[in-house]
Amino acid sequence: MSYLDELNEIQRKAVEHVEGPLMIIAGPGSGKTRVLTYRIAHLMDLGVDPFNILSLTFTNKAAREMKARIEKVTGPEARNLYMGTFHSVFARLLRYYAEKLGFPSNFSIYDTQDSRNLIKNIIKEKGLNDKFYKPSIVHNRISNAKNQLITAKAYASHMMLTTEDELSGRSKIKDVYLEYANRCFKAGAMDFDDLLLNMYELLCKYPDVLYKLQHQFLFVMIDEFQDTNVAQYEIVRKLSAVHQNIGVVGDDAQSIYGFRGATIQNILNFERDYPELKVYKLEQNYRSTKGIVKIANEVIKKNTGQLEKTIWTDNPQGDKIRLLKAASDNDEAKKIADNIHEEQLRNHYKNKDFAILYRTNAQSRAMEDALRRRNIPYTVYGGMSFYQRKEVKDLLSYLRVIVNPKDEEALRRVINYPTRGIGNTTMQKVTIIANEQNKTLWEVLKNAQSYGFTNRVVKVVHAFITMIESFSTSLDKKDAYTIAAGIAKESGLQPSLYDDKTVEGISRFENFQELLNSIKEFVTADEEGALGTEAIDKSLGSYLQQVSLLTDQDDKNKKDEAVKLMTIHAAKGLEFPVVYVVGLEEELFPSRLSISSREGIEEERRLFYVAITRAEKKLHLSYAACRFRFGKLVYCEPSRFIDEIAPFGIEFVGLVAKAQKSNSSKGYSNIYSSKNKQKKTVARPPIDSNFKADDTTGLQVGAKVQHQRFGVGNVLDIEGNKPNIIATIAFKDIGQKRILLRFAKLQILEA
């Protein structure tokens, strides 16, 4: 059977489109990846050389999976495709043409932490107030500028940007950006954003390079097009300008990365840029039940800025969507953990079938506590990346210095670790000399004796330089693992970690060994991952490029047999039989940072749409009447998104079900509002002016207490950690109350 026979009618038309601009609008669960991979396979079947096809994705994982699928159809020729993430493909091209831009071909790639460390040093050197010039804020500002193709020099003369900085009290950002760009250039380093900016600069400044690449890449395909930023789109427009065989796949309704610089306008205005565009809409959903698809459509149709489409499915109707109102965030988490346990018993779901999605990482705490109490295994996506652990970054930094001694951030990290007597005072002096003479730190260190350093410092610096250079000279002779294993021992890193026999120390040593294992796997891998005609490059430089370009999606915890906890942003592209979307409250979801503009609200609504469409069979929504935020207990209003979906096949559970029964004729908004509380008129004891509260630090379950207003009650439960301990108390006259002890005034009648 031909692979084309696996496609529905509209999918097949999209796959068989050959020449001219193409846009495939792919709704959730509509077979997007299959269409994208089969189109590339079809081009190859028609005789297009894979060397002439450029396919860009957002994760290395997606690129690997797509290439593997294509290879099943076309055979080993698929290995010759230029397929990868924007950053990995552009990094490869930039290494080939780096010298045209004044960079070495083995330039370092700074990750976010490297960039922020360098910015932090620049802020300190310039004597700026780090309360205003926080490295993260400055870095984000620089990053956003680069994604808009604004260089440091252009930024400094950009009236609107510099005026914004002045109004925010950060008028010197332009100076920090200029110095940052200069230091990266001097260090032979590019950050992630530079891989885009410099690629664009290369195409603009060197017409011969542009001409060559335009005639090499006859077909250009872009996955997740709605997530592209200005720089990415402008680069691919240039590359495809001659033949105009540009094909994009995406869904404007899933554009959720505006905070990273992605612009939904790229996909909304694509037809304006290409009037001859052919559009195919993949509207059949193969993933979710009819009930879930219906809710998703109702959500997204509220947005004004979108491409028209209606998602449908032939799947069964399925269960109603459940909406839970909980008393608090802890109550919400407990009920979800209970429901997971119930689903496992009744419907035989496995742990891996469940996902709990939230708007902010901080929401995971309550969920984790509840799952632990239930002994339900879970894993949190978005924790510290393996490659961000200190012991891992230490060895990687040594390897970066071996490949590129001018790499300032890596050099600073390893110069005195393990301790060798090159302290902060020495490095401050080295930095001052380097800045004054416009030299690199490495150049100053190599000539330490001529700059008046003490004999002791000169001796230890010379030993360090000699060690690094001895490994650098073997870069062309030895593979990545041989060099890494050697520097691990000779630098003292491996022995120092091995000697630490604490639990934490053993864990760090295991991580260190795991990194060496990964390098060993890299050099012993077969040719399957080859890009283009060349055999696998097993050099240290090649390995470092691969590691530098790993995306968040590539480094997820692979504990399959566990409930998954993650932000909705991290869940994009994934699917689960049972999904819980929690924290549907105003100023949480939608975020308080987004409710001041239509664009912000519409992106939050798209985020809700993404959350809903992760579910295959069952969808649970929930919100809390109160939760802890920034250390304080706050009362919450239900999200506006609940009102938007309430009339469409929802089953009410928990407190909201009770409200529904007593308010069935009063409208949905009245049901959800936390202001709509059924109050009892009860006789409360008068306030005693002589009432004196006791210290409740050691309050235990079973204690009998008296509250100034609520009267006498018994303590049923104690939960939480200091200072946010909550007691559940059953009062004789008014029933149960959950009270935050640090604010409550209680007399302990019986301990």
Side-chain angles (χ1 to χ4, degrees), residues 271-466:
E271 191 167 5
R272 180 198 64 189
D273 296 335
Y274 295 93
E276 303 300 316
L277 179 70
K278 184 66 177 176
V279 179
Y280 298 94
K281 298 179 182 179
L282 308 184
E283 297 175 300
Q284 182 175 0
N285 180 293
Y286 293 93
R287 175 189 300 160
S288 306
T289 64
K290 281 187 172 70
I292 292 169
V293 169
K294 181 180 180 181
I295 290 292
N297 281 331
E298 291 299 332
V299 166
I300 204 61
K301 77 178 186 181
K302 304 292 191 302
N303 274 7
T304 57
Q306 61 177 303
L307 300 171
E308 185 180 344
K309 62 185 172 299
T310 301
I311 306 304
W312 60 277
T313 184
D314 280 335
N315 290 339
Q317 179 64 34
D319 294 351
K320 283 189 174 183
I321 285 75
R322 287 163 54 98
L323 176 66
L324 165 72
K325 177 181 178 181
S328 67
D329 48 352
N330 288 325
D331 183 46
E332 178 186 44
K334 180 180 182 300
K335 284 182 167 59
I336 288 172
D338 290 345
N339 186 262
I340 290 174
H341 183 66
E342 182 181 344
E343 290 281 7
Q344 290 173 328
L345 292 176
R346 287 190 176 185
N347 299 312
H348 307 292
Y349 283 113
K350 298 177 180 179
N351 289 319
K352 66 180 181 180
D353 295 329
F354 300 93
I356 302 173
L357 311 183
Y358 35 77
R359 181 65 180 82
T360 65
N361 278 306
Q363 291 170 256
S364 74
R365 192 274 313 160
M367 297 297 161
E368 291 185 67
D369 289 348
L371 293 171
R372 277 198 299 267
R373 290 193 187 102
R374 268 288 186 182
N375 292 319
I376 297 174
Y378 68 89
T379 182
V380 181
Y381 277 33
M384 180 181 286
S385 161
F386 174 79
Y387 292 99
Q388 292 298 322
R389 297 181 187 278
K390 181 183 183 302
E391 57 275 13
V392 173
K393 287 209 74 170
D394 288 338
L395 179 54
L396 287 175
S397 293
Y398 267 104
L399 301 182
R400 282 166 50 181
V401 172
I402 290 169
V403 171
N404 175 19
K406 295 194 295 183
D407 187 333
E408 181 175 321
E409 287 310 303
L411 182 59
R412 286 182 185 277
R413 186 178 187 97
V414 303
I415 189 74
N416 198 40
Y417 186 78
T419 305
R420 55 175 56 90
I422 309 174
N424 289 336
T425 302
T426 298
M427 287 308 296
Q428 286 173 3
K429 184 176 178 181
V430 170
T431 301
I432 291 170
I433 295 170
N435 289 341
E436 288 177 347
Q437 300 190 16
N438 196 30
K439 294 182 179 295
T440 65
L441 300 184
W442 182 259
E443 289 171 325
V444 175
L445 289 168
K446 282 197 72 172
N447 296 283
Q449 189 169 9
S450 64
Y451 290 113
F453 288 95
T454 64
N455 289 334
R456 182 195 65 79
V457 170
V458 170
K459 183 178 179 180
V460 293
V461 166
H462 177 72
F464 175 78
I465 296 285
T466 301

Side-chain angles (χ1 to χ4, degrees), residues 256-267:
I256 59 174
Y257 293 114
F259 67 97
R260 290 184 186 170
T263 170
I264 193 174
Q265 298 307 315
N266 285 350
I267 192 168

Side-chain angles (χ1 to χ4, degrees), residues 532-555:
T533 57
E534 304 153 26
I536 285 287
D537 181 354
K538 299 178 180 179
S539 69
L540 183 57
S542 178
Y543 171 77
L544 288 175
Q545 174 175 316
Q546 174 186 289
V547 170
S548 298
L549 295 168
L550 283 173
T551 63
D552 293 342
Q553 198 71 15
D554 298 310
D555 191 43

Side-chain angles (χ1 to χ4, degrees), residues 11-291:
Q11 289 176 334
R12 183 161 182 160
K13 286 181 179 179
V15 166
E16 292 178 331
H17 178 100
V18 179
E19 294 188 334
L22 161 73
M23 179 161 67
I24 302 170
I25 301 172
S30 62
K32 167 183 73 78
T33 304
R34 173 178 289 187
V35 171
L36 181 58
T37 53
Y38 282 7
R39 179 171 188 256
I40 294 172
H42 188 61
L43 289 173
M44 292 172 62
D45 274 356
L46 293 175
V48 178
D49 194 318
F51 296 110
N52 298 137
I53 300 174
L54 171 64
S55 180
L56 298 169
T57 67
F58 277 86
T59 70
N60 291 307
K61 180 173 178 282
R64 286 194 299 269
E65 290 176 353
M66 286 167 58
K67 186 175 287 190
R69 287 196 191 190
I70 296 168
E71 188 170 346
K72 285 183 179 179
V73 177
T74 65
E77 273 291 291
R79 301 175 189 177
N80 296 322
L81 289 163
Y82 254 84
M83 179 178 285
T85 65
F86 284 89
H87 293 91
S88 64
V89 171
F90 294 166
R92 180 180 177 81
L93 293 171
L94 283 168
R95 288 199 186 280
Y96 188 79
Y97 294 108
E99 292 181 1
K100 286 181 176 289
L101 297 174
F103 283 88
S105 61
N106 61 346
F107 61 82
S108 297
I109 299 176
Y110 282 177
D111 63 17
T112 300
Q113 195 57 53
D114 294 325
S115 297
R116 290 184 179 177
N117 286 342
L118 177 54
I119 288 170
K120 183 178 180 180
N121 288 333
I122 293 170
I123 289 168
K124 184 177 180 181
E125 291 165 15
K126 290 185 174 295
L128 300 174
N129 186 338
D130 58 10
K131 291 182 179 178
F132 289 103
Y133 292 90
K134 292 182 179 178
S136 59
I137 293 175
V138 177
H139 178 247
N140 287 340
R141 189 72 169 162
I142 293 172
S143 176
N144 288 336
K146 289 181 178 181
N147 286 330
Q148 297 288 327
L149 299 174
I150 300 171
T151 64
K153 290 182 180 178
Y155 189 102
S157 59
H158 198 293
M159 184 172 293
M160 186 179 77
L161 293 175
T162 54
T163 300
E164 287 175 358
D165 290 340
E166 288 172 4
L167 292 173
S168 69
R170 303 184 185 94
S171 61
K172 300 295 184 183
I173 284 183
K174 63 179 185 295
D175 299 325
V176 176
Y177 187 5
L178 283 165
E179 181 62 18
Y180 174 73
N182 178 54
R183 295 275 275 273
C184 285
F185 183 77
K186 192 166 66 171
M190 297 186 197
D191 63 23
F192 282 177
D193 302 309
D194 285 328
L195 297 175
L196 303 179
L197 180 61
N198 289 337
M199 187 68 201
Y200 183 77
E201 292 274 299
L202 178 70
L203 299 180
C204 290
K205 291 180 177 178
Y206 296 93
D208 58 322
V209 175
L210 177 61
Y211 180 87
K212 180 179 179 180
L213 295 179
Q214 284 175 335
H215 288 79
Q216 176 180 349
F217 300 129
L218 305 183
F219 291 86
V220 178
M221 289 291 294
I222 307 163
D223 190 16
E224 302 287 6
F225 184 60
Q226 76 280 349
D227 294 336
T228 54
N229 57 35
V230 170
Q232 289 162 333
Y233 183 36
E234 289 303 317
I235 291 168
V236 295
R237 282 186 71 188
K238 281 187 171 293
L239 290 175
S240 57
V242 173
H243 301 283
Q244 298 225 337
N245 293 327
I246 179 172
V248 303
V249 183
D251 181 7
D252 58 294
Q254 297 185 66
S255 177
I256 59 174
Y257 293 114
F259 67 97
R260 290 184 186 170
T263 170
I264 193 174
Q265 298 307 315
N266 285 350
I267 192 168
L268 294 181
N269 297 332
F270 193 65
E271 191 167 5
R272 180 198 64 189
D273 296 335
Y274 295 93
E276 303 300 316
L277 179 70
K278 184 66 177 176
V279 179
Y280 298 94
K281 298 179 182 179
L282 308 184
E283 297 175 300
Q284 182 175 0
N285 180 293
Y286 293 93
R287 175 189 300 160
S288 306
T289 64
K290 281 187 172 70

